[in-house]
Amino acid sequence: MAVTPIVPPGAPGIPACWTSSAKSGVGTAFSAKSPLWFTISHGILNEIYYPRLDSACTRDMELIVTGPGGYFSEEKRDAAHAVAPFEDGVPGYRLTNTAADGAYRIEKRIITDPKRPVLLQEIAFVPLKNSAADYKIYALLAPHLVNAGMGNTAWVGEHKGQRMLFATGRGVSLALVSSLPWNTCSAGYVGFSDGWQQLQNGGALDPSCQRAEDGNVALTGDIGFSAGKTTALLALGFGATPEAAADLALASLKQGFDAAAETYVENWRTFQTRLEKLDRHTASGLNTYRVSTAVLASHLSVARPGAAVASLSIPWGFNKGDDDLGGYHLVWPRDLVETAGGFLAAGDGKQALQILTYLHSIQQPDGHWPQNVWSDGTAYWPGIQMDECAFPLLLADALRRAGHLPRARLADFLAMIEAASSYVVRNGPVTGEDRWEEDAGYSPFTLAVEIAALLAAADMLDILGKSEPANYLRETADCWNDQVERWTYVTGTQLCIEAGITGYYVRIAPPDDAGAASPKDGFVPIKNRPPADTDKPAEAIISPDALALVRFGLRAADDPRIVGTVKAVDTLLRCDLPQGPVWYRYTDDGYGEHEDGTPFDGTGRGRAWPLLTGERAHYELAAGRKEKAAQLLETFERSAGMGGLLPEQVWDSPDVPGRELWEGKPSGSAMPLVWAHAEHIKLLRSLRDGVVFDTPPQGVERYIKGKTSSPLRIWRFNNKIRSIPAGKALRVELSAPGVVHWSSDNWLTIQDHKTRETAFGVHLADLPVAGLTSGSTIVFTFFWPDAMRWENVDFSVGIDASW
């Protein structure tokens, strides 16, 4: 009897949202013919990305099991889950979901077809109670085509004589086909008439629900399992049209799972074989090194070689909808350089060089890199983070020192190096945002990256015959390095008394303000906190970020100022969890779940970051404590979730089972965090070699061994210093030719110094004030010859006793 189609009730469905960010696996075919990436958690598929790794196309796809007496079981909620890779370093997965009530077991193998954009799931249903004939198994798919849950259309149809489930939206389509013919199928609106609602409320699918248009939709199909046929292959194809997606799905179905899996595994074996042998197995047999290398490679773009996103996840995704377009599937230049460092540590210099080439391609005309971009290079957030503008210089020099950028090849990047160096010297040392995407000011981490990058760039420019710009970069680096403590180191605070230390580096000091004697006397706005709990004195906020001064070669690990800071950090930010110590980002961090475990929603409380355990391990190695570093490596690895994936944050409070939060286990933030896996690889390499893998040598030689200091202090319109130590010359830097009209005796005598144009279009004049005594004041203004006008504002710089 024919069924008359109806419009399913509930259009357009409940507001769309994403799903859990706690992934237990990520994978891709590692093939240009298959621009398809997938994630799994809770024993099921989550987001699938196509045709770019920054465009999610599904929310999730799971199975529902029904049986006698109204039996209803949802595998992601009502089963225990186990996951295992096909083999070390191959992110194809075997999933085993065993019903909590002991009724059944579902076994899956999941890969993408290396020859085409098709996701393959081989599914076996094993009844543990009753017989196979007593159960029905349904596939439930939630299309979120092109990064959105709303605006999708789903229907049940046919293609070339075979029944299929289809969806389309925003120019992308999918088609789901089964090797066992579908029985009853339906399309409906999520929360009202989707298959989950129909099966839960009525025990069967409504065959009249055949099409749901323009909404948050879901597709459901009864897989034709029977007593003699308990294994099915589902092929989910993607294409520009429904017909194209269906043709691809049918081609993969015809080829079969095993043939696709053979090529899939071989592609990954080929990649893993060429890497350094840093293998490390846990007690469960998981090879953590190969997990990390596979994570890095699984986050690489196909369309834009060298691009890699921060994570194929959406933090607290179950609490976020279509307005959260980016998730973490965006490219952050900082994370990308860290990823390149992971590849370099693993021995894949070719991939690291490809990342540098991509970074070169997305550099902005003025020399900076955007805060983050889509994989095609389109900027997303508008912030400026000076560490991101400097990191690519460090990557270029690391590749040069490792032999991957000989002089002829280095010359290809000369324009990039010059533009980036120019941007950093013109706009640093103050950053618009720190590495946590938040505050402006003097950040020890950003300062360390900027200074190290300028020294690295100077070496590269010297090699390319650019000695004058190289010298200018070193002079600037020396000047900034001399002032790191003035900007960010405090003494005599209440924390000093409590921790029994002389002083410590603050997390960040605000930009110079005429109302404060020095930046560290100002206030720092704390983001992600309620309005009444924001601004804090700079001296009250500390962070492990100061360890970057050691990591990037500017301060010795045993420098008393560093040692004191480590003690302060451990006093306030160390969190002892079942796996060992993990650290918070900074005092009063608000980026994390609320106290009761509810998701971060713009405010919250920051949780502990395993990444910081890896950074601390690197510090301990730099300090000569290799055994302690090795212990922290174990802590780092024990912070991983199911499948060995490293999370951004771990839960630091008593268990909240209802929210899947357990002490020491991954929280609802991003997982995997690619940056953390890159840090893991680098730590394995560092421990093997006995030295920190990615410490640039220039700062160590110049500042730690050579004790180089600067005879200068630099005044610029974007960094109007208010005082200099006695004995220093004052360098005035302008963006156009000028005459510095100045006096050191309140205009009784006047001197004029014309600027000279130097590297990067900077116009400078060095004022000979080194002989002035403490208490003197330099007053100056400018005449602009090109415009034939005076500045008509006087500026002043005081002479202090030596700092």
Side-chain angles (χ1 to χ4, degrees):
M1 178 178 175
V3 176
T4 302
I6 65 167
V7 176
I14 61 174
C17 65
W18 297 101
T19 188
S20 171
S21 61
K23 309 306 180 190
S24 52
V26 293
T28 184
F30 216 46
S31 164
K33 296 178 181 178
S34 182
L36 195 67
W37 296 259
F38 68 92
T39 67
I40 55 176
S41 77
H42 298 78
I44 69 167
L45 278 166
N46 289 159
E47 295 95 355
I48 301 171
Y49 296 82
Y50 167 86
R52 303 185 337 197
L53 76 170
D54 51 19
S55 294
C57 286
T58 66
R59 179 184 189 272
D60 58 15
M61 179 179 174
E62 66 164 327
L63 301 180
I64 293 175
V65 180
T66 64
Y71 182 80
F72 178 96
S73 181
E74 187 179 5
E75 64 172 337
K76 73 178 179 183
R77 289 190 173 92
D78 302 323
H81 312 115
V83 58
F86 279 12
E87 60 184 64
D88 286 352
V90 177
Y93 297 97
R94 293 184 179 87
L95 306 182
T96 304
N97 301 326
T98 305
D101 60 10
Y104 64 84
R105 183 172 69 247
I106 294 169
E107 298 169 353
K108 301 179 184 177
R109 292 196 295 166
I110 299 178
I111 59 169
T112 56
D113 186 340
K115 294 182 179 179
R116 50 189 74 87
V118 178
L119 189 291
L120 294 172
Q121 283 191 91
E122 182 188 73
I123 300 171
F125 180 78
V126 182
L128 302 178
K129 294 179 181 176
N130 304 316
S131 67
D134 293 318
Y135 297 99
K136 287 184 177 293
I137 299 90
Y138 299 86
L140 174 62
L141 171 63
H144 276 214
L145 291 163
V146 194
N147 259 5
M150 285 296 180
N152 291 273
T153 294
W155 69 97
V156 181
E158 284 196 8
H159 182 74
K160 295 183 177 177
Q162 192 145 350
R163 202 173 194 200
M164 295 188 185
L165 306 181
F166 291 96
T168 191
R170 307 189 188 194
V172 173
S173 298
L174 61 78
L176 179 62
V177 62
S178 171
S179 64
L180 297 180
W182 298 110
N183 294 320
T184 308
C185 299
S186 79
Y189 294 102
V190 173
F192 296 94
S193 52
D194 62 87
W196 190 95
Q197 298 287 339
Q198 294 174 18
L199 294 170
Q200 175 75 280
N201 298 325
L205 293 182
D206 183 346
S208 66
C209 294
Q210 294 289 290
R211 186 179 184 91
E213 296 192 355
D214 194 19
N216 182 13
V217 299
L219 287 158
T220 312
D222 177 0
I223 304 171
F225 285 117
S226 63
K229 295 181 179 179
T230 56
T231 299
L233 177 59
L234 301 188
L236 179 59
F238 292 84
T241 65
E243 293 77 17
D247 282 338
L248 291 165
L250 286 174
S252 289
L253 194 69
K254 183 178 180 180
Q255 172 189 250
F257 188 92
D258 289 339
E262 183 178 356
T263 305
Y264 187 97
V265 170
E266 189 55 39
N267 286 352
W268 280 100
R269 282 178 182 163
T270 299
F271 163 71
Q272 295 285 0
T273 299
R274 67 174 184 254
L275 302 181
E276 291 278 337
K277 302 297 187 288
L278 300 171
D279 298 73
R280 177 181 167 84
H281 290 84
T282 63
S284 65
L286 199 64
N287 188 330
T288 61
Y289 170 60
R290 300 297 174 175
V291 169
S292 287
T293 54
V295 166
L296 263 60
S298 293
H299 284 74
L300 289 167
S301 172
V302 169
R304 287 296 297 270
V309 297
S311 178
L312 287 171
S313 70
I314 300 170
W316 301 285
F318 51 85
N319 200 46
K320 295 182 178 180
D322 288 356
D323 56 346
D324 193 84
L325 289 177
Y328 273 29
H329 43 273
L330 289 160
V331 180
W332 270 263
R334 171 185 45 257
D335 294 55
L336 187 55
V337 171
E338 298 284 8
T339 298
F343 279 115
L344 199 54
D348 193 348
K350 181 180 179 182
Q351 184 58 61
L353 181 56
Q354 201 165 58
I355 288 174
L356 182 67
T357 302
Y358 169 78
L359 283 165
H360 189 186
S361 76
I362 66 167
Q363 186 182 27
Q364 302 301 291
D366 65 357
H368 88 280
W369 276 272
Q371 182 175 4
N372 49 35
V373 299
W374 298 104
S375 61
D376 66 1
T378 304
Y380 186 57
W381 287 347
I384 298 290
Q385 300 178 2
M386 292 303 296
D387 66 321
E388 293 196 310
C389 302
F391 258 125
L393 293 169
L394 289 174
L395 174 58
D397 192 56
L399 284 162
R400 175 192 68 83
R401 289 184 283 106
H404 300 292
L405 271 183
R407 188 184 187 284
R409 188 74 176 90
L410 183 64
D412 295 340
F413 293 94
L414 174 60
M416 184 202 87
I417 294 166
E418 289 183 318
S421 300
S422 175
Y423 190 87
V424 172
V425 295
R426 286 168 173 268
N427 294 279
V430 169
T431 183
E433 291 181 357
D434 64 344
R435 71 164 171 167
W436 304 122
E437 327 285 342
E438 296 178 356
D439 291 321
Y442 296 95
S443 155
F445 183 92
T446 303
L447 287 167
V449 177
E450 288 174 315
I451 294 166
L454 292 183
L455 295 179
D459 278 7
M460 291 186 285
L461 291 176
D462 266 341
I463 290 169
L464 296 172
K466 301 273 188 173
S467 58
E468 192 248 337
N471 290 335
Y472 172 72
L473 294 184
R474 292 191 184 98
E475 288 176 346
T476 304
D478 293 348
C479 181
W480 292 357
N481 183 64
D482 268 6
Q483 299 179 85
V484 168
E485 283 69 35
R486 169 168 167 73
W487 292 324
T488 66
Y489 185 76
V490 297
T491 58
T493 69
Q494 183 62 36
L495 177 57
C496 290
I497 297 170
E498 293 172 2
I501 56 178
T502 301
Y504 53 87
Y505 294 94
V506 299
R507 172 204 164 201
I508 194 167
D512 293 82
D513 181 352
S518 75
K520 59 201 179 193
D521 293 326
F523 285 78
V524 173
I526 306 298
K527 302 297 173 68
N528 307 314
R529 302 292 294 173
D533 185 27
T534 55
D535 287 8
K536 303 283 184 181
E539 68 177 32
I541 311 298
I542 63 169
S543 170
D545 285 3
L547 295 183
L549 295 168
V550 177
R551 183 74 170 262
F552 293 101
L554 308 188
R555 300 292 181 270
D558 61 356
D559 185 312
R561 296 165 298 194
I562 293 291
V563 173
T565 301
V566 168
K567 191 168 183 180
V569 165
D570 286 350
T571 298
L572 293 185
L573 301 177
R574 173 173 165 147
C575 179
D576 290 311
L577 294 172
Q579 65 266 42
V582 186
W583 281 265
Y584 299 108
R585 296 194 301 173
Y586 57 82
T587 323
D588 293 329
D589 183 10
Y591 183 57
E593 285 90 351
H594 291 270
E595 298 290 350
D596 62 357
T598 51
F600 173 76
D601 55 3
T603 65
R605 186 170 80 78
R607 305 296 164 175
W609 284 58
L611 166 70
L612 298 177
T613 298
E615 292 187 350
R616 178 59 173 268
H618 270 113
Y619 166 73
E620 296 296 339
L621 181 61
R625 296 184 285 268
K626 186 174 182 179
E627 185 176 331
K628 190 167 184 179
Q631 292 171 352
L632 288 172
L633 168 63
E634 293 183 5
T635 298
F636 194 8
E637 293 177 336
R638 286 197 294 265
S639 298
M642 182 182 291
L645 301 188
L646 291 166
E648 180 181 71
Q649 301 177 44
V650 289
W651 184 243
D652 57 353
S653 296
D655 297 351
V656 186
R659 298 192 178 277
E660 297 187 350
L661 295 170
W662 290 273
E663 187 181 21
K665 300 297 184 183
S667 72
S669 59
M671 187 167 81
L673 184 65
V674 179
W675 182 1
H677 282 279
E679 180 73 3
H680 176 244
I681 294 168
K682 287 189 276 189
L683 183 54
L684 291 172
R685 176 69 181 267
S686 297
L687 284 167
R688 189 197 73 179
D689 295 350
V691 294
V692 177
F693 172 75
D694 58 359
T695 295
Q698 294 92 346
V700 175
E701 292 297 323
R702 194 168 184 87
Y703 303 131
I704 297 175
K705 295 180 180 178
K707 309 295 184 185
T708 301
S709 62
S710 172
L712 303 168
R713 291 295 180 264
I714 300 172
W715 185 100
R716 293 198 312 252
F717 274 97
N718 66 342
N719 192 27
K720 298 179 185 129
I721 60 173
R722 295 185 301 276
S723 64
I724 64 173
K728 301 292 184 183
L730 178 63
R731 172 169 286 179
V732 176
E733 294 187 350
L734 307 173
S735 59
V739 177
V740 184
H741 185 72
W742 68 283
S743 173
S744 60
D745 54 12
N746 199 26
W747 300 117
L748 292 176
T749 60
I750 297 170
Q751 299 186 57
D752 287 331
H753 273 69
K754 287 184 178 180
T755 61
R756 58 186 171 89
E757 185 171 6
T758 183
F760 312 117
V762 174
H763 300 262
L764 63 83
D766 290 335
L767 306 188
V769 299
L772 296 179
T773 58
S774 176
S776 302
T777 299
I778 307 159
V779 184
F780 55 96
T781 188
F782 306 106
F783 178 73
W784 305 102
D786 288 354
M788 293 300 291
R789 68 174 180 84
W790 287 90
E791 181 67 22
N792 288 326
V793 175
D794 287 350
F795 305 94
S796 64
V797 173
I799 306 294
D800 291 347
S802 295
W803 303 326

